[in-house]
Amino acid sequence: GEKRAFSRIVDKGEIPTCNILGVNIAAINIEWLLEYLKANVKSEDGNRLSGDYICVSNVHTTVISYEDVEYCAVQNRGLMAIPDGGPLSTVGRKRGHKDMFRTTGPSLMDELFKVSAQCGYRHYFYGSTEETLGKLYGELKEKYKGIQVAGIYSPPFRELTDEENREIIKRINETKPDFVWVGLGAPKQEKWMANHQGKIAGLMIGVGAGFDYIAGNINRAPTWMQKVNLEWLYRLIQEPKRLFKRYMHTNTKFIWLAMIRGK
């Protein structure tokens, strides 16, 4: 029945983790994650991950977690926090997790969308602007033949009233999604997912700028830059005003705390 969809059937113990600055980062790679999702999202007893969430974690979110106890709890309370930032997996491998590799939001989206038609996955997109969602929808339909977009919604920028929030939950759940992609940016999207844990019928994944990448608003770094952990530099060149202060603060702090002091 209804209740079943929201019960935690999954044993979180099967997800290996590496604690970095207090955040239990999943010590995994994209192949592992895709297998895991395939086994649990459309299983014989329905979507076992329904109502739960995945944080797509990087240096920025990990340093914020180190400085903010509540946000750290949000990162750790979901199904898992995957290593989107290259430095996270580098630290993880140094600490003995040899199969831990960078698992980014955009790559995860791409891999899941590619197998969507054959797996029968339904996707809901929550966040961003009407304009970006329109472009995203067009790109998805063109690039991933047969993909099922259950719904898209651009929420108002302000705080929602309780009534509006109930309405949104109802609206999302009526579309019966398997995946609910949340593009509100960090730390807002993680807090939103934590507040909706157990209420949303689908697995929530917070993908930050993922919507913008697919819509073509921003480009991903060349593969060679991604491989040597320089995607942050590429993004900095694209959005210097917005990202300079963030990177100066969080990158230096991460190097000092995680890489030098081993926290």
Side-chain angles (χ1 to χ4, degrees), residues 84-105:
D84 174 88
L88 294 177
S89 51
T90 302
V91 167
R93 285 198 303 281
K94 280 207 170 95
R95 295 183 186 177
H97 298 278
K98 60 182 192 309
D99 296 324
M100 186 171 175
F101 287 93
R102 187 170 186 217
T103 310
T104 72

Side-chain angles (χ1 to χ4, degrees), residues 170-191:
K170 186 166 164 279
R171 181 193 277 209
I172 294 173
N173 291 351
E174 275 170 355
T175 69
K176 299 190 164 46
D178 296 299
F179 294 97
V180 177
W181 301 94
V182 185
L184 299 173
K188 195 176 172 185
Q189 64 197 11
E190 289 79 25
K191 290 175 180 173

Side-chain angles (χ1 to χ4, degrees), residues 211-227:
F211 291 15
D212 288 310
Y213 284 122
I214 292 172
N217 294 347
I218 49 179
N219 298 317
R220 282 205 74 182
T223 314
W224 71 266
M225 284 187 98
Q226 293 180 39
K227 283 200 172 115

Side-chain angles (χ1 to χ4, degrees), residues 205-246:
I205 306 179
V207 286
F211 291 15
D212 288 310
Y213 284 122
I214 292 172
N217 294 347
I218 49 179
N219 298 317
R220 282 205 74 182
T223 314
W224 71 266
M225 284 187 98
Q226 293 180 39
K227 283 200 172 115
V228 293
N229 290 349
L230 283 178
E231 188 154 22
W232 65 272
L233 182 62
Y234 189 82
R235 284 202 62 195
L236 179 61
I237 295 163
Q238 285 186 308
E239 297 183 82
K241 268 201 179 70
R242 191 171 80 81
L243 297 173
F244 183 76
K245 217 171 121 199
R246 174 211 282 196

